[in-house]
Amino acid sequence: MPESHRMEFYRRRYAALRPGWMPATARFERHVAAALRPSSRVLDLGCGRGGIVERLGPQGGAGEQMTRWFGVDPDLLSLQEHRARNLGRACAGSERLPFASETFDIVITSWVLEHLPRPAATFSEIARVMQSGGSLFFLTPNAAHPLPGLSAAIASLHKLQQQVVSRFYGRGSADTFPVAYRANTIEAISRLGARAGLQPVEITWVDDPSYFAWNRITFILAVVAELLLPSTRRVHLVGHLQKR
């Protein structure tokens, strides 16, 4: 079974056990969708090859929103292969964004904060390119959960990290990047945001046993682990910060 199908299969099973549960990706997308307006200018920071912009942006949106999305990523190949062909894009790192100050109403970043070696510089740049009252929406692993802890332990051995991610999550080595986990707790994100002039609106921990569910037995064990772990150690963080 392909990796994406496996995770979706076990997410459906978990949702059946916990009515009302929603995976972090769906929560993230719902927050972003609710904030969009016809005049919104949105920056997808670390856009990769696709993602949320495919559903809400140039190929999934309507009206003026189709011309107001922009993607930034340091990996040129990802930008060249991006599936939303109408997306404006630039190859750049998050510490020095190629935009004028106060350009965007919304900045979104998914699966990016965990890779930042100098997150304070990134948060400062996000605040600079964001208009007053603008929003940052993020989705990232929670460093207090055992899985990111294990990932951090092997991060210094990048080839080993690539092999593990490829073996268990079906991701190619070209899409496996080193992790730092320096902006991956509510406390760290709130502190970094405050220094940049971004105040928390909402940050939520989200459980998801599908990351450990490689078969029925590991799924059961993962569900039990989720029940035993305190809420502050759930695997994902979904949040919204706003510029003062």
Side-chain angles (χ1 to χ4, degrees):
M1 180 186 300
E3 179 60 23
S4 60
H5 293 173
R6 175 190 67 78
M7 295 182 73
E8 184 59 30
F9 171 78
Y10 284 110
R11 281 173 180 163
R12 287 197 300 268
R13 293 194 63 181
Y14 189 57
L17 294 173
R18 294 198 57 191
W21 175 82
M22 183 183 300
T25 50
R27 288 173 181 263
F28 175 67
E29 184 172 321
R30 176 174 288 189
H31 287 318
V32 175
L36 290 176
R37 301 292 182 269
S39 61
S40 294
R41 289 169 290 181
V42 185
L43 174 63
D44 187 355
L45 181 60
C47 62
R49 290 177 170 82
I52 189 172
V53 67
E54 296 177 84
R55 296 177 291 279
L56 300 181
Q59 294 191 359
E64 294 184 8
Q65 289 180 2
M66 296 182 67
T67 63
R68 295 180 180 270
W69 283 70
F70 211 96
V72 166
D73 201 283
D75 184 57
L76 180 59
L77 181 60
S78 293
L79 291 172
Q80 292 171 337
E81 296 179 350
H82 201 288
R83 294 182 292 273
R85 295 187 178 183
N86 295 327
L87 177 71
R89 65 201 78 180
C91 188
S94 63
E95 297 178 4
R96 193 172 182 178
L97 297 173
F99 305 104
S101 298
E102 301 186 353
T103 298
F104 298 99
D105 308 288
I106 297 172
V107 177
I108 62 174
T109 178
S110 58
W111 313 124
V112 170
L113 298 185
E114 64 271 23
H115 300 292
L116 302 178
R118 297 197 315 133
T122 295
F123 274 73
S124 178
E125 274 293 90
I126 289 173
R128 181 186 66 80
V129 303
M130 186 187 297
Q131 290 190 347
S132 179
S135 293
L136 166 65
F137 295 98
F138 65 84
L139 166 60
T140 195
N142 176 15
H145 189 276
L147 180 59
L150 177 62
S151 179
I154 65 174
S156 59
L157 302 174
H158 188 46
K159 288 187 177 179
L160 176 59
Q161 180 196 16
Q162 290 177 328
Q163 292 172 0
V164 170
V165 172
S166 176
R167 170 64 179 83
F168 291 106
Y169 300 105
R171 196 183 313 156
S173 60
D175 294 318
T176 304
F177 304 100
V179 291
Y181 293 115
R182 295 177 181 174
N184 290 86
T185 63
I186 286 183
E187 295 77 15
I189 292 169
S190 298
R191 182 175 62 252
L192 289 161
R195 291 176 181 173
L198 305 172
Q199 58 188 7
V201 176
E202 179 183 1
I203 304 178
T204 306
W205 298 283
V206 184
D207 47 324
D208 190 343
S210 68
Y211 283 84
F212 306 91
W214 297 292
N215 53 49
R216 185 172 62 87
I217 294 175
T218 58
F219 172 69
I220 294 171
L221 293 174
V223 171
V224 171
E226 292 289 0
L227 294 175
L228 294 177
L229 285 172
S231 61
T232 56
R233 300 193 68 186
R234 289 172 177 166
V235 69
H236 293 142
L237 293 172
V238 177
H240 173 199
L241 303 183
Q242 189 171 52
K243 185 175 179 179
R244 302 188 187 98

